[in-house]
């Protein structure tokens, strides 16, 4: 194979650290101990909040927990599905989730929100604080508490947290952890209204409201915020972009603030509330689309660098590598098929190309049995029979 192409592959794998493992226990890293301390503090505070209610409201808490587990499973499947190039190690994803569910929620946000709310009431009065407390407290406190999580992950796994896409996806898991704990808090609060006289009604109302609001909630906010932090700090794989970083940090704070202030902004008018909700949805998903558009070229170039030697070896075509680099490109490539069977075959080849990418990353570009098997799978999909291809060519 071409030496320049192999060198570009090696550089891409080294820069992105795709395929590397994450080691959680790092006794010599002070951030590891800070992480443990804050997460354990969050667990203790959460236990202190919920344990007195476990007796009388135990059934409601159990139902809320089951709904929470289902919600986490669905969102996790979606986020892992989106993370298609080379997935982050599961251990690192769990570390991100736990930060959001414990440290960011109970150790930082609950206390800070309460303190800031009291301060607003003393300075501006109870009526003003009731209208604007949520919108002018939670966006700053909660986005900061969750956003610190990506800095913690950078300190724990500097070679694995490298690009804006890493920030988007790990931020989504930090936000998912925060959202899960917050949903449990709101569900229990709904069940305890009226001293628990109507637990089922209160619980069902809270769960329904949270399932709707979760569409535009902490995973999206934190994904944008954490991508902004990556741009602001810069890494060996992601050149610093201060304006982009600030824009992606400010955007979720604004979206969150508008969402929490919808009643005050609309003056309590029903139609006004709907207008604010629709406007905030449009703003949020536009910001998310822009974040992915900004992040895509960098990731697509890494994909191309890793897979380019496979074109010379006859495993893939240039068109297929382009399709593997992004959802829009993949859709265009598949739609260009001559019939249903051809379009289906094209889709399978692109997925197989991404599997080859993952195997090459795990093998650091070497011809391991997994890499050779991945090439043979692409050959089988293309020709109906496997062909063995190594770094030296066909055999």
């Amino acid at each position: 194979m071409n030496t320049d192409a192999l060198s570009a592959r090696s550089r891409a794998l080294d820069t992105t650290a795709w395929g590397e493992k994450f080691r959680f226990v790092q006794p010599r890293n002070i951030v590891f101990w800070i992480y443990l301390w804050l997460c354990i503090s969050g667990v203790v505070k959460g236990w202190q909040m919920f344990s007195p209610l476990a007796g009388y409201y135990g059934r409601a808490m159990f139902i809320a927990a089951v709904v929470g587990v289902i919600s986490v499973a669905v969102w996790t499947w979606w986020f892992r599905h989106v993370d298609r190039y080379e997935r982050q190690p599961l251990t690192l994803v769990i570390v991100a989730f736990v930060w959001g569910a414990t440290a960011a929620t109970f150790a930082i946000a609950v206390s800070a929100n309460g303190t800031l709310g009291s301060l607003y009431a003393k300075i501006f009065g109870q009526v003003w604080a009731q209208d604007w407390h949520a919108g002018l407290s939670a966006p700053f406190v909660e986005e900061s508490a969750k956003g610190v999580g990506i800095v913690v992950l950078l300190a724990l796994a500097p070679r694995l947290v490298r690009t804006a896409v890493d920030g988007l996806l790990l931020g989504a898991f930090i936000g998912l952890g925060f959202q899960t704990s917050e949903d449990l808090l709101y569900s229990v609060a709904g069940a305890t209204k009226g001293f628990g006289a109507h637990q089922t009604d209160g619980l069902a109302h809270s769960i329904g409201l949270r399932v709707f609001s979760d569409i535009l909630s902490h995973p999206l906010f934190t994904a944008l915020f954490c991508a902004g932090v990556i741009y602001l700090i810069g890494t060996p794989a992601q050149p610093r972009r201060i304006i982009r970083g600030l824009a992606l940090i400010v955007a979720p704070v604004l979206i969150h603030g508008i969402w929490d202030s919808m009643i005050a902004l609309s003056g309590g008018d029903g139609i006004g509330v709907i207008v604010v909700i629709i406007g905030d949805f449009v703003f949020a998903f536009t910001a998310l689309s822009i974040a992915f558009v900004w992040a895509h070229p960098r990731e697509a170039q890494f994909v191309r660098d890793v897979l380019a030697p496979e074109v010379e070896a006859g495993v893939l075509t240039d068109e297929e590598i382009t399709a593997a680099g992004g959802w829009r490109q993949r859709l265009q490539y598949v739609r260009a098929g001559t019939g249903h069977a051809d379009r289906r075959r094209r889709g399978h080849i692109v997925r197989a190309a991404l599997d080859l990418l993952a195997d090459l990353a795990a093998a650091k570009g070497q011809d391991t049995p997994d890499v050779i098997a991945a090439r043979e799978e692409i050959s089988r999909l293309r020709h109906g029979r496997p062909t063995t291809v190594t770094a030296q060519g066909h055999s």
Side-chain angles (χ1 to χ4, degrees):
M1 293 184 186
N2 184 288
T3 306
D4 292 340
L6 290 175
S7 298
R9 166 187 284 177
S10 180
R11 282 196 303 273
L13 291 175
D14 183 62
T15 303
T16 59
W18 283 347
E20 289 197 9
K21 307 296 183 187
F22 171 62
R23 182 170 56 85
F24 173 62
V25 179
Q26 303 176 35
R28 296 184 179 181
N29 187 343
I30 185 65
V31 177
F32 167 72
W33 296 107
I34 293 173
Y35 174 87
L36 281 186
W37 172 60
L38 286 171
C39 289
I40 292 172
S41 297
V43 170
V44 171
K45 289 184 179 180
W47 175 259
Q48 290 172 340
M49 292 177 68
F50 290 122
S51 60
L53 305 172
Y56 187 70
Y57 301 103
R59 187 178 63 177
M61 292 173 68
F62 175 75
I63 295 172
V66 170
V67 172
V69 170
I70 294 172
S71 175
V72 168
V74 172
W75 283 108
T76 298
W77 171 82
W78 174 243
F79 294 151
R80 297 292 277 179
H81 178 70
V82 173
D83 189 8
R84 192 68 180 100
Y85 294 133
E86 173 54 25
R87 293 190 175 111
Q88 290 285 357
L90 184 59
T91 317
L92 185 59
V93 168
I94 294 172
V95 167
F97 180 89
V98 171
W99 174 270
T102 58
T105 312
F106 297 108
I108 302 175
V110 170
S111 303
N113 271 330
T115 302
L116 198 53
S118 299
L119 195 60
Y120 281 148
K122 289 177 182 174
I123 296 175
F124 302 110
Q126 287 290 346
V127 175
W128 188 94
Q130 187 174 357
D131 288 340
W132 295 101
H133 161 225
L136 294 178
S137 172
F140 301 105
V141 169
E142 295 175 5
E143 298 315 318
S144 301
K146 292 177 294 176
V148 171
I150 197 67
V151 180
V152 170
L153 296 182
L154 271 166
L156 292 175
R159 282 189 54 76
L160 291 170
V161 186
R162 288 258 170 138
T163 65
V165 171
D166 294 335
L168 283 166
L169 294 167
L170 290 171
F173 279 104
I174 294 172
L176 180 61
F178 192 97
Q179 176 178 288
T180 303
S181 293
E182 190 180 71
D183 285 356
L184 185 60
L185 280 168
Y186 278 103
S187 298
V188 172
T192 56
K193 277 184 180 177
F195 301 101
H198 304 285
Q199 285 191 42
T200 305
D201 293 343
L203 180 65
H205 179 265
S206 296
I207 289 175
L209 191 63
R210 295 305 300 176
V211 168
F212 169 72
S213 64
D214 283 351
I215 298 171
L216 180 67
S217 191
H218 295 287
L220 189 153
F221 303 154
T222 317
L224 293 174
F225 194 100
C226 291
V229 171
I230 297 292
Y231 278 121
L232 202 58
I233 295 175
T235 72
Q238 185 66 66
R240 182 177 295 173
R241 296 283 188 273
I242 293 177
I243 301 300
R244 285 187 184 186
L246 291 174
L248 291 176
I249 288 173
V250 170
V253 173
L254 285 175
I255 297 165
H256 195 168
I258 293 170
W259 185 261
D260 283 359
S261 306
M262 64 174 73
I263 303 295
L265 288 172
S266 63
D269 179 69
I271 296 176
V273 170
I274 293 173
V275 170
V276 172
I277 290 175
I278 293 174
D280 212 26
F281 263 86
V282 172
F283 180 21
F285 285 99
T286 301
L288 188 63
S289 299
I290 291 173
F292 273 105
V293 168
W294 281 347
H296 172 259
R298 192 75 178 156
E299 294 283 329
Q301 185 58 52
F302 288 135
V303 171
R304 174 167 289 279
D305 287 346
V306 174
L307 292 179
E310 305 301 323
V311 176
E312 184 184 343
V315 177
L316 294 167
T317 66
D318 195 63
E319 191 181 19
E320 289 161 354
I321 292 180
T322 301
W327 291 101
R328 186 178 301 172
Q329 292 76 9
R330 175 185 171 183
L331 197 59
Q332 290 172 347
Y333 171 73
V334 171
R335 284 179 174 173
T338 53
H340 177 72
D342 189 43
R343 285 194 289 272
R344 187 176 178 184
R345 183 183 63 83
R346 285 170 171 248
H348 286 316
I349 288 177
V350 175
R351 281 193 288 274
L354 289 170
D355 289 339
L356 174 59
L357 173 76
D359 289 329
L360 284 167
K364 294 300 173 191
Q366 301 301 310
D367 279 355
T368 63
D370 286 342
V371 169
I372 293 172
R375 288 174 179 148
E376 290 177 345
E377 174 62 10
I378 293 172
S379 173
R380 187 189 67 77
L381 290 167
R382 194 189 308 283
H383 306 296
R385 65 179 189 282
T387 302
T388 301
V389 181
T390 66
Q392 287 73 41
H394 291 265
S395 62

